[in-house]
Amino acid sequence: MKNSLKLFRYIKEYKMQSILAPTFKMSEAVLELFVPLVMAAMIDVGIESGDTGYIYSRCMILIALAAAGVVLAVVAQYFSAVSASGFAKNLREALMQKISGLSFFGLDKIGTSTLITRMTSDINQLQTGVNLTLRLLLRSPFIVFGSLVMSFFIDVKLALVMCVIIPVLVLVIWLIMRKNIKGYKKIQGKVDELLLKTRQAVGGVRVIRAFAKEDDLCGEFASENGSLYERQIKVGRLAGLLNPLTLVIVDLGVCAILISGSQRVWAGYVTQGEIVALVNYMAAILVELIKYADLIVNISKSLASADRVCEVLDHEDRQRVYGEGLSFEFGTGEIIGVIGATGSGKSTLAAMIGGFYPTHDNAIRIDGMDVGKWRESKSLGFVFQKPTIFSGTVEDNIKIAKEDATKEEMDEALRLACAYDFVYEKGGLSAKVEQNGVNFSGGQKARIAIARALVGMPELLILDDAFSALDNATAKLVYEGIFSRARERNMTVVDISQRMASILSCDRIAVLNGGKIAGFGSHRELYISLKEYRDICDSQEVQYEG
């Protein structure tokens, strides 16, 4: 509940609509309470005396009440829909802004699949909850208590029968809903697990097919899907008891009213029309209590979704600090190479230099300044180990780094990345890029990603194994072009690579081992003094001659 209150700020923009929606709905409820009384008058006066004119006049009143109720209900629905949709829109924007600002550690901790679930199904559930709350939270209790009060005005003794039936109805509904709410929370967790399994299957479909593991994957998916199905069936069976049980209780109440009422009609205490009105009020109470039960279920789902969304919105990134036991410094305009065995922490180091992970005790400094502070006034270019390009055009992808990039700047970046030729063969900067860049090869996507990082000529360029998808000849052309331009522009470059060939021309080289700097210096210094570096050189048949 506390988390739900936090989310109210996202509906403040629609405060007026949020007030008007229940107001119009309550007005419609007031009109609904008068319908049984009009019907009672029609039976007791019009039908009893055979007054056709009176019957027609009461029919016109019923039609007017129905028409007014429809108008009020439609207006209320409009305002509640506007409020709920606007609330969901604002919440999605806030959540997307939070996700965009999360560090790599934050993304890793929460998980991509659950972030997608919270952005989609959880916010949709909250939107539904807000919509139903605005329409039913006040209306249903008002109809229940209003019907009970109107029944007392008709006949106190018969109204007492309703006073017995209503608590029994409430108890049955509460017991069923209490069980269902726990079940719905477990179902939401299973949906997360199924989405994770689906995302892994789609993302790794090439690997799965390569090793003929389709049957194993289908089996695992069927297991997760079956578990979700069983939970949904279990909850559904329990929910399915709601209508039959409540109908039985109400029918028993109607029978009690008819039996008791028949005696009181003969005694002259009540009329036949008033008995019909009491039965109608009993039916209205049943309908509204079932609606209210559905509302409670949706509110419970929404509360669970609110907790999950707030968990992301309230997430504090600095829960783990990287770089303990690691410290090195380099200057503006230097070209720094980073090499190490697989799992030594090269990509993590790249993320730390880029400011995506918090570092321990200013572990990384440029010109004596913490890299985070240095970056506040400097531009950054980053090429990730797994290049990502987005659907649209080549120009759209390159302009992500610099929105106002000119054609000349983009062409220059493409030439440096050795991407100019194949891009213009496909139609130039306006060449279409399919989702995930499936119409480009891995090496072409890597070169477009390199061009994107270069277009703004950033003051700090980080290459996280950027040349792994390129053949040796192309990789050599690309890094020689980048290093040459970096020296001309006084650009700081951090080249993280498995290839000795690309880091030999760096000013200094950092050797990683077990997440720590094992050595930092020139190729000559490291080859002479550091065994780990010398082993890497020997494995790639690179030697120091001097």
Side-chain angles (χ1 to χ4, degrees):
M1 182 63 72
K2 184 179 179 181
N3 284 331
S4 300
L5 296 176
K6 290 180 184 178
L7 299 180
F8 272 123
R9 63 179 179 270
Y10 297 107
I11 205 172
K12 284 184 178 179
E13 182 182 341
Y14 302 92
K15 186 188 299 182
M16 184 57 66
Q17 290 91 332
S18 300
I19 295 172
L20 290 174
T23 301
F24 278 96
K25 204 65 179 174
M26 291 288 287
S27 302
E28 184 240 341
V30 171
L31 297 181
E32 189 174 323
L33 288 175
F34 286 105
V35 171
L37 296 180
V38 176
M39 291 180 65
M42 185 188 298
I43 294 170
D44 293 336
V45 179
I47 294 176
E48 183 74 23
S49 63
D51 188 344
T52 307
Y54 188 86
I55 294 174
Y56 285 148
S57 66
R58 291 303 173 270
C59 286
M60 294 304 295
I61 292 174
L62 288 175
I63 292 171
L65 288 173
V70 168
V71 172
L72 291 171
V74 169
V75 173
Q77 178 62 55
Y78 170 77
F79 284 125
S80 65
V82 169
S83 300
S85 300
F87 165 78
K89 175 183 73 72
N90 292 340
L91 185 55
R92 277 194 201 94
E93 290 175 355
L95 190 60
M96 188 63 197
Q97 187 174 1
K98 178 67 177 184
I99 292 172
S100 300
L102 286 174
S103 70
F104 284 10
F105 171 68
L107 292 171
D108 294 341
K109 182 179 180 183
I110 299 173
T112 306
S113 58
T114 189
L115 285 174
I116 294 171
T117 305
R118 295 176 203 211
M119 177 66 78
T120 52
S121 65
D122 281 327
I123 291 185
N124 287 340
Q125 181 59 55
L126 282 167
Q127 179 177 342
T128 301
V130 169
N131 196 342
L132 290 174
T133 299
L134 291 175
R135 291 189 290 115
L136 298 177
L137 185 64
L138 296 178
R139 182 189 188 279
S140 291
F142 179 80
I143 289 288
V144 171
F145 289 107
S147 297
L148 188 59
V149 169
M150 298 297 278
S151 300
F152 273 102
F153 279 114
I154 293 173
D155 187 81
V156 174
K157 186 175 180 181
L158 293 177
L160 290 174
V161 175
M162 298 176 70
C163 288
V164 174
I165 296 296
I166 290 174
V168 176
L169 277 174
V170 171
L171 179 62
V172 169
I173 291 171
W174 178 76
L175 289 174
I176 292 175
M177 289 306 102
R178 183 184 178 187
K179 291 286 186 182
N180 272 0
I181 287 167
K182 294 179 180 178
Y184 284 127
K185 288 181 179 179
K186 292 179 180 178
I187 285 173
Q188 194 62 39
K190 282 293 179 184
V191 169
D192 272 355
E193 293 175 13
L194 190 65
L195 179 61
L196 175 61
K197 185 66 67 178
T198 303
R199 185 173 179 274
Q200 289 176 339
V202 173
V205 66
R206 295 174 185 266
V207 177
I208 292 164
R209 288 180 180 174
F211 291 95
K213 292 293 183 181
E214 294 93 338
D215 292 341
D216 292 345
L217 173 68
C218 290
E220 291 176 9
F221 183 87
S223 176
E224 292 289 345
N225 196 31
S227 180
L228 175 62
Y229 168 79
E230 288 173 4
R231 287 191 181 278
Q232 288 175 326
I233 290 296
K234 185 177 179 181
V235 172
R237 283 174 179 166
L238 189 60
L241 292 174
L242 182 63
N243 281 354
L245 285 176
T246 52
L247 282 172
V248 167
I249 294 169
V250 168
D251 287 344
L252 291 173
V254 169
C255 289
I257 290 173
L258 291 176
I259 292 170
S260 247
S262 62
Q263 298 172 357
R264 295 184 68 74
V265 168
W266 283 109
Y269 292 111
V270 293
T271 64
Q272 296 177 18
E274 288 172 336
I275 294 295
V276 171
L278 287 171
V279 171
N280 283 335
Y281 281 130
M282 176 67 79
I285 288 172
L286 169 64
V287 170
E288 293 305 323
L289 283 176
I290 291 176
K291 284 183 182 178
Y292 208 65
D294 290 337
L295 175 63
I296 291 170
V297 170
N298 276 285
I299 287 177
S300 300
K301 290 180 180 179
S302 299
L303 290 175
S305 294
D307 290 339
R308 290 159 56 82
V309 171
C310 285
E311 185 181 340
V312 178
L313 293 175
D314 297 339
H315 177 75
E316 293 291 338
D317 255 343
R318 293 186 174 273
Q319 297 183 27
R320 177 180 174 185
V321 179
Y322 291 78
E324 189 171 359
L326 178 154
S327 179
F328 74 105
E329 181 176 344
F330 51 94
T332 301
E334 270 197 277
I335 298 178
I336 303 297
V338 179
I339 197 165
T342 301
S344 58
K346 298 187 297 299
S347 293
T348 302
L349 177 63
M352 290 165 59
I353 297 172
F356 304 126
Y357 285 144
T359 60
H360 175 78
D361 194 25
N362 299 332
I364 302 172
R365 292 179 290 277
I366 303 177
D367 288 340
M369 185 184 300
D370 173 50
V371 69
K373 293 181 179 178
W374 187 87
R375 269 207 58 206
E376 291 176 1
S377 59
K378 307 293 182 181
S379 56
L380 171 69
F382 205 122
V383 183
F384 292 93
Q385 189 173 15
K386 184 179 179 182
T388 300
I389 60 174
F390 303 93
S391 58
T393 65
V394 173
E395 182 176 354
D396 294 336
N397 275 274
I398 293 177
K399 281 191 171 181
I400 290 174
K402 187 181 181 184
E403 292 182 2
D404 59 348
T406 63
K407 183 178 182 300
E408 290 73 20
E409 288 175 323
M410 289 187 282
D411 285 345
E412 181 187 9
L414 288 171
R415 286 191 181 95
L416 282 173
C418 292
Y420 184 88
D421 291 340
F422 75 78
V423 165
Y424 274 87
E425 284 175 5
K426 289 179 176 285
L429 292 171
S430 59
K432 188 176 181 181
V433 179
E434 302 291 347
Q435 185 177 4
N436 295 325
V438 293
N439 55 329
F440 290 89
S441 69
Q444 289 174 336
K445 287 191 287 186
R447 282 178 278 173
I448 292 173
I450 292 170
R452 177 173 58 203
L454 289 171
V455 70
M457 286 301 159
E459 291 163 287
L460 174 60
L461 175 65
I462 302 173
L463 305 169
D464 183 10
D465 210 5
F467 310 123
S468 59
L470 307 183
D471 61 87
N472 290 333
T474 304
K476 183 177 180 181
L477 288 174
V478 174
Y479 70 70
E480 284 181 352
I482 292 174
F483 292 175
S484 175
R485 188 56 54 89
R487 297 190 193 283
E488 291 174 8
R489 301 290 185 92
N490 200 35
M491 182 193 301
T492 305
V493 179
V494 178
D495 177 24
I496 297 170
S497 178
Q498 298 279 8
R499 296 177 176 178
M500 288 297 305
S502 71
I503 66 168
L504 284 176
S505 54
C506 294
D507 298 326
R508 287 189 290 171
I509 301 169
V511 182
L512 285 184
N513 185 13
K516 297 182 179 180
I517 301 292
F520 188 43
S522 66
H523 170 62
R524 175 182 179 276
E525 293 168 345
L526 292 172
Y527 191 85
I528 293 172
S529 62
L530 189 63
K531 182 180 183 301
E532 291 94 330
Y533 182 77
R534 193 161 53 250
D535 290 342
I536 295 172
C537 291
D538 292 343
S539 69
Q540 299 187 32
E541 299 181 354
V542 174
Q543 295 183 354
Y544 169 68
E545 297 179 1

